[in-house]
Amino acid sequence: MSGVESFIEFLHIPSLVLTDEMHIRSVNEAFCSQFQLARNDCLGQRFNDLENGLWDSPELHHLLEERLEDENAVHDCEIRQAIDQTGERILLISACRVGDGRHTLIMAQDITQQRQYEELLRERESRYRSLFETIDEGFCVFEVLFEGEKPIDYRFLETNPGFDKLTGLHGAVGKCIRELRPQHEEHWFQIYGQVAVTGKPLRFTQQAKHLGGRWYDVYAFRIGPAEQRQVAVLFDDITEKKKAQEILRESEERFRAVAELVPDLLWRSDPDGKSTWYNQRWMEYTGQTRVQAAGYGWIDVIHPDDRSRSLDNYERAVRTGQPLQQEHRIRRHDGVYRWFLVRAEPVRDVEGKILHWFGAATDVHEQRAAVESLEWRVEKRTRQVRRLAYRLTMAEHKERQRITRVLHDNLQQLLYGVEMRLRMVSQSLLATQDKMSGLLDETNRWVREAILTTRNLTTDLCPPALEKDELGDALRWLKRQMKELHGLEIDIDKQSCLSIQDNELRILLFHSVRELLFNVVKHAGVNRATVRLEEDEKYSIIHVIDDGCGFNAAEVTGGEEDVSGFGLFSIRERLRLIGGYVEIHSTPGYGTHIQIRAPRDRAVQGTR
Amino acid sequence: MIRIFVVDDHPIIRKALRSLLENESDIHICGEAATAQEALESLPQANPDLVLVDISLPELGGIELVRILRIRNPGLPAAILSGHRDGFVKQALDAGANGYILKGNSDDLPEAIRQIVKGKQYLSPEISV
C-alpha cells in the first residue's frame, strides 16, 4: 500500500485512501488544503465523520458502499451536499479499489465554484442569445474566405432573426454570400477582409444594391482567434432614414437656392436661439462674416436704441416658443441704419418639439418713413385743428365781448338817455297834451323793451359772472338763465366752487358746461340736470348729470362723425388741447353722466 | 333839496340824468364826473347827499370807486347805476353801495334816490342777487 500512498502525495488532485472499515489511512496535501483539514485530524478518522460534514451524505454512502462494490471503480460522479454554513457544495468523486481490494482510493474535487461559473456562463449566454434573437438589428458571424491575401467571399456561421428580416436572406447559415448574391459588391469583401486581418473594428454606412438596394449602418469586429478570420457584424437598415436625409438635403438645397434669391435677410437658429445660419444677403447687407454673426452676433448690427427691446422680445419668444414679430433698425455695411420688419417662427417636429427657429427681416424703411411722415402730418394737422378749435372758443368769446361792448357802451346808453328824455318830455306835456303824452308813453315802452332786449343780449353774450375767478358763480348764473330761457332746473350746490384763475380756461369750461346743458334741453327729454364741481390733485372736474333718455356713448366716443350735434367732439378736442379730457357714461334709457376734466396745471400745446 | 353827484363816462347819460332829475323839485345835480379819478377830485367841493356811480367806468370801475368812497367818506351814500341785471349786485353791495339801480326804467329813479338818502337800501325790482 505504501506505493499508493506515496503516489497520492504527488497528485494535485485531493486524494485519500480508506481502509475497508472506511477509516482514513492516508491523505495527501491537496486534500487537506482544499478541504482545510489537518492531516493528523484526518488520519484514522472514519471518513464519514470528518469535521466539515461534507462527506456524510446518502449519495456518497451509496457510491462507496454499493456502486463501488459492483463496479470496482467509479469515475467523475457528481455528489451534491447541502452544508448549512456554506450552502450547497458539489464534489466530483472518482474512486477505485486498491491493495487487493481492501482499500479504497478516493479522488475528490470541490467543483462548486466551477459549476457556479458554468451556471453563470449559461445564464449569460442565454441572456445574450435572447438579446441576439430579439433585437431589431441584424447580427451575423461569418468566416471571411481569402484567395491568397485577397478576400473573395464569406460564409455565414450564425445569424439572428433580425438578419433575415433586414437582408431578406433566409437559411444563410453554412452558405457563402456569393451563393446567395453572386453580384454582391466588391467593397463588402474588402471591408470585412480588412477587419478579419487587422482585428480593427469598423463602423460604416454602405449600400447593398443586390440586397434590394438597402442602406446599412454596420459595425464589424473580429471574433475568435485571428487565424479563424471570423467577423461578427451588427447592422441596421437605415434605408428610410437615408431617404429622409436625402429628401431633407434636397429640400435644404432648394431652400438655400430660394433663400439666396429673396431680398430678405434670413437666418436660422437652434432651439436655444443661437443663430446657426444666415443667407448671403445678410452677409452682404451687414458686412458681417458668418463667424461674427453666429450665435448672438446679430445683436451687434442692431441700432443701439432698439437693441435691448429687440433682445428681450427675441429671448421671450425663444423661451415661450411663441412666434416673434417686431421692427428694429439694422446697420448696413456702410453704417447706415434701415428699418426692418422681423418675423421669426419656430419649426417643430411631429411631437411639437422645436427643431430650430427660422427668421426673416424685411426692409420696411421706405414704408415706415412714409407712415411716419403720414402720422406726423396727421398729428400736426390734429394739433392745428385743436389749436383752431381753442382759438375759435376764444374768438367767439372776444366777438361776444365786442358785440357786448357795442351794445352796452353805445346803443344801451343811447336808449337809456332817450328813455329818460322821453319820460321827462312826457311829464312836461302831461298837463296840456293828453294825446301827445299817450304817444310818448307808448314810445317810451318800446324804448324800454329795446333796452331790455339789448340788456339780455349783452348778458347772454358775455355773462358778467364769467369775469370772476370763481366758476361756480358763473354756473349759478347759468342755472338761472337756463331756467328762465329753457325751463331747465339745474341742481348745483350753493357752496359748490371751483376757482379758476386762468381766464381762457374758465371761459372754455363755462361754454362746455353750457353746451352740455343745451344737449340736455335738446336731447335728454328731461327738465332737470345736476352740475357738480370738484377737484383732485391733478384735475378740476365738472360733472353734468341727467336722468334722461341717454345715448350710446360708444358711438359718440368711438368715432368723430356726426357728433357735432352734441357738441361733444368740439368740447373733447378743445379740452384735449389743454391736456384735459371728457368722460362719457351713457346708456340708452339710463341717463347720462359726463365728466369734464381740465388739468389744474394746464399746459396748452402749441401756440395760443 | 337832495344834492346828487353823477359819475358816468357817457355824456348822454349825464345829460339825460341832469334833465330828468332836475325836473324833480327836491333833487339837484350838484356835480358830475366822467371818471372815478375826476369824481374823487371834485367830490369834496360838490358836497353831495348821494353819489350815483355808473358800474362801467373806464380804468377804475364803479364798484372800486364805491369801495374807495366807503373809506374816504364813510357817511356819504353811493348807489350803483348799472345796465347789468345780475352778476354784479352782490359785489356792489359788498363794496358798500347803498343801492343798485338798473338803467332803463327812469320812473323809479327819483324814488330810489329819496329812499337811499333816507338811509334805506334800494334795489331795482327786476334785479336778483
Side-chain angles (χ1 to χ4, degrees):
Chain A
M1 273 307 294
S2 61
V4 174
E5 287 162 3
S6 301
F7 168 68
I8 65 171
E9 277 303 324
F10 290 102
L11 286 178
H12 292 297
I13 300 170
S15 306
L16 47 75
V17 178
L18 303 181
T19 65
D20 54 355
E21 297 295 323
M22 299 299 277
H23 287 91
I24 299 171
R25 181 184 170 86
S26 63
V27 62
N28 70 355
E29 186 57 36
F31 186 90
C32 293
S33 170
Q34 180 155 63
F35 297 106
Q36 295 181 338
L37 294 166
R39 188 188 296 261
N40 289 337
D41 292 341
C42 297
L43 292 175
Q45 284 280 326
R46 190 176 162 75
F47 176 56
N48 301 117
D49 296 338
L50 278 175
E51 279 181 10
N52 59 15
L54 188 60
W55 313 100
D56 187 20
S57 79
E59 273 185 273
L60 194 57
H61 280 292
H62 172 74
L63 179 76
L64 297 178
E65 290 165 11
E66 293 177 23
R67 279 188 60 190
L68 199 57
E69 199 65 38
D70 296 340
E71 300 170 24
N72 270 333
V74 290
H75 300 283
D76 295 339
C77 291
E78 227 174 85
I79 303 293
R80 289 173 182 265
Q81 173 71 321
I83 305 293
D84 288 343
Q85 291 84 356
T86 55
E88 188 185 65
R89 304 290 293 274
I90 304 165
L91 300 170
L92 189 65
I93 305 287
S94 295
C96 65
R97 297 289 187 193
V98 292
D100 303 331
R102 287 184 294 114
H103 297 95
T104 304
L105 170 63
I106 299 173
M107 286 183 281
Q109 285 177 277
D110 186 341
I111 59 167
T112 309
Q113 221 167 28
Q114 185 186 336
R115 285 288 180 269
Q116 283 171 345
Y117 283 138
E118 285 170 1
E119 185 63 25
L120 201 64
L121 280 172
R122 268 196 300 279
E123 277 177 24
R124 193 171 289 172
E125 192 181 335
S126 168
R127 275 207 302 274
Y128 282 122
R129 174 62 57 185
S130 171
L131 177 69
F132 176 71
E133 296 292 340
T134 55
I135 56 172
D136 291 334
E137 286 79 8
F139 182 78
C140 63
V141 178
F142 50 73
E143 176 193 3
V144 183
L145 304 176
F146 287 82
E147 193 173 78
E149 291 186 351
K150 186 184 176 192
I152 56 165
D153 203 350
Y154 49 88
R155 178 181 291 113
F156 292 103
L157 303 176
E158 205 173 347
T159 62
N160 75 340
F163 173 91
D164 290 19
K165 189 177 163 193
L166 299 185
T167 61
L169 301 174
H170 300 284
V173 175
K175 294 178 183 166
C176 290
I177 189 68
R178 293 275 193 212
E179 290 175 55
L180 299 167
R181 292 291 183 270
Q183 303 300 317
H184 198 46
E185 293 99 324
E186 187 63 26
H187 52 76
W188 292 100
F189 305 112
Q190 295 299 327
I191 293 167
Y192 293 144
Q194 186 185 333
V195 173
V197 170
T198 63
K200 206 172 167 183
L202 277 180
R203 180 181 289 281
F204 59 94
T205 298
Q206 192 59 265
Q207 188 181 26
K209 288 186 179 164
H210 299 283
L211 289 174
R214 298 179 208 201
W215 279 89
Y216 295 103
D217 182 25
V218 182
Y219 180 62
F221 52 99
R222 191 172 74 188
I223 58 170
E227 63 274 13
Q228 288 184 354
R229 297 191 168 175
Q230 288 183 5
V231 173
V233 172
L234 183 65
F235 63 98
D236 198 6
D237 183 351
I238 57 163
T239 310
E240 291 305 317
K241 192 173 160 188
K242 200 79 183 167
K243 279 181 187 170
Q245 281 176 345
E246 187 61 20
I247 290 167
L248 194 64
R249 192 187 58 76
E250 286 173 8
S251 164
E252 181 76 6
E253 274 180 12
R254 280 198 302 275
F255 163 73
R256 292 199 179 201
V258 173
E260 298 307 336
L261 288 176
V262 296
D264 288 0
L265 315 183
L266 306 180
W267 75 91
R268 192 161 50 203
S269 306
D270 65 17
D272 295 331
K274 290 194 211 62
S275 299
T276 53
W277 171 85
Y278 292 89
N279 68 349
Q280 189 57 31
R281 177 89 182 104
W282 176 281
M283 304 301 155
E284 287 164 4
Y285 177 83
T286 63
Q288 282 189 312
T289 64
R290 289 188 191 278
V291 174
Q292 286 170 331
Y296 278 82
W298 56 274
I299 281 291
D300 295 340
V301 292
I302 305 303
H303 193 286
D305 292 348
D306 304 338
R307 209 171 276 171
S308 171
R309 172 180 56 84
S310 292
L311 188 59
D312 285 351
N313 290 341
Y314 182 66
E315 286 181 335
R316 190 181 310 112
V318 169
R319 199 167 56 247
T320 60
Q322 293 299 309
L324 167 74
Q325 181 165 322
Q326 64 179 353
E327 287 186 10
H328 59 208
R329 285 160 285 182
I330 302 177
R331 191 180 62 215
R332 205 166 55 189
H333 57 85
D334 57 1
V336 172
Y337 284 95
R338 291 179 67 82
W339 279 99
F340 280 79
L341 170 64
V342 177
R343 295 190 191 92
E345 293 258 358
V347 178
R348 299 171 187 273
D349 64 12
V350 287
E351 290 167 350
K353 188 180 162 196
I354 294 176
L355 297 173
H356 55 256
W357 286 80
F358 178 70
T362 308
D363 189 331
V364 292
H365 197 79
E366 267 72 36
Q367 293 97 306
R368 189 169 169 119
V371 169
E372 276 180 356
S373 167
L374 187 63
E375 281 176 356
W376 182 81
R377 289 211 308 271
V378 169
E379 196 182 323
K380 186 181 168 195
R381 188 58 56 88
T382 305
R383 275 202 306 271
Q384 286 173 339
V385 168
R386 284 180 187 158
R387 275 203 298 273
L388 207 59
Y390 189 81
R391 283 179 187 165
L392 187 61
T393 301
M394 292 307 127
E396 281 172 4
H397 193 75
K398 280 176 185 161
E399 187 57 17
R400 283 193 186 103
Q401 283 178 319
R402 193 184 68 77
I403 295 168
T404 302
R405 248 193 329 271
V406 171
L407 287 173
H408 178 267
D409 293 356
N410 300 313
L411 189 57
Q412 264 179 21
Q413 305 307 322
L414 276 172
L415 287 170
Y416 295 147
V418 170
E419 189 268 343
M420 284 188 268
R421 185 59 58 84
L422 281 173
R423 183 182 179 278
M424 202 181 72
V425 171
S426 174
Q427 281 178 343
S428 311
L429 291 172
L430 195 59
T432 54
Q433 299 286 339
D434 282 355
K435 192 178 177 185
M436 185 61 80
S437 175
L439 286 172
L440 284 171
D441 281 346
E442 192 178 42
T443 309
N444 203 359
R445 278 199 304 278
W446 294 345
V447 170
R448 284 179 189 172
E449 275 181 32
I451 289 170
L452 191 63
T453 304
T454 58
R455 182 185 291 148
N456 287 341
L457 187 60
T458 53
T459 308
D460 190 41
L461 284 171
C462 193
L466 204 47
E467 300 301 319
K468 292 186 285 183
D469 290 352
E470 181 47 57
L471 183 65
D473 289 345
L475 294 179
R476 277 182 280 277
W477 172 86
L478 183 60
K479 167 191 164 110
R480 286 193 296 276
Q481 197 203 35
M482 294 303 284
K483 170 70 177 167
E484 281 176 22
L485 299 181
H486 306 290
L488 182 69
E489 291 279 2
I490 298 170
D491 298 321
I492 178 167
D493 192 337
K494 280 183 182 172
Q495 305 305 319
S496 209
C497 58
L498 197 59
S499 180
I500 295 175
Q501 293 181 346
D502 184 325
N503 191 38
E504 292 179 351
L505 177 60
R506 197 168 58 247
I507 291 166
L508 172 60
L509 292 176
F510 175 83
H511 287 302
S512 297
V513 173
R514 183 149 78 167
E515 190 70 32
L516 294 177
L517 291 172
F518 280 148
N519 282 347
V520 175
V521 172
K522 284 188 279 184
H523 305 291
V526 289
N527 57 6
R528 181 173 286 275
T530 300
V531 174
R532 207 167 69 232
L533 310 177
E534 62 185 34
E535 284 178 321
D536 63 16
E537 283 183 3
K538 286 185 179 175
Y539 294 98
S540 299
I541 307 160
I542 305 173
H543 302 262
V544 178
I545 305 161
D546 71 72
D547 291 328
C549 60
F551 57 91
N552 189 337
E555 284 177 10
V556 174
T557 53
E560 296 188 349
E561 303 86 17
D562 198 28
V563 294
S564 54
F566 285 81
L568 284 173
F569 173 65
S570 160
I571 294 170
R572 190 173 59 191
E573 287 306 307
R574 291 175 199 200
L575 278 168
R576 207 179 272 177
L577 179 69
I578 57 163
Y581 60 94
V582 180
E583 267 186 23
I584 303 170
H585 304 280
S586 187
T587 307
Y590 293 95
T592 301
H593 180 175
I594 296 178
Q595 276 187 48
I596 294 172
R597 286 176 171 259
R600 295 178 65 179
D601 180 16
R602 79 174 175 122
V604 179
Q605 297 169 13
T607 56
R608 286 168 46 192
Chain B
M1 184 70 70
I2 301 169
R3 295 166 61 81
I4 303 293
F5 192 95
V6 176
V7 189
D8 198 312
D9 59 324
H10 291 94
I12 294 169
I13 298 297
R14 288 201 305 274
K15 200 169 180 182
L17 277 172
R18 184 176 283 278
S19 305
L20 180 73
L21 293 177
E22 292 209 328
N23 215 26
E24 301 293 325
S25 56
D26 58 341
I27 298 174
H28 166 65
I29 303 289
C30 65
E32 59 183 60
T35 66
Q37 190 63 35
E38 252 183 71
L40 289 170
E41 285 169 8
S42 309
L43 271 171
Q45 287 80 37
N47 191 27
D49 298 310
L50 172 67
V51 185
L52 288 178
V53 183
D54 180 42
I55 197 165
S56 307
L57 292 175
E59 298 171 6
L60 193 64
I63 292 175
E64 288 308 307
L65 176 59
V66 170
R67 193 170 282 126
I68 293 168
L69 288 175
R70 279 288 68 76
I71 297 164
R72 288 176 56 167
N73 303 77
L76 177 61
I80 287 288
L81 280 174
S82 170
H84 302 295
R85 198 177 52 169
D86 49 17
F88 295 105
V89 183
K90 189 171 181 302
Q91 251 184 294
L93 297 179
D94 289 346
N98 301 80
Y100 191 97
I101 303 164
L102 210 53
K103 288 180 180 176
N105 187 356
S106 53
D107 287 352
D108 299 334
L109 184 58
E111 190 50 36
I113 289 170
R114 288 182 193 107
Q115 284 199 24
I116 293 168
V117 170
K118 282 179 189 170
K120 292 181 182 173
Q121 187 184 61
Y122 181 87
L123 301 177
S124 287
E126 302 98 318
I127 66 166
S128 50
V129 179

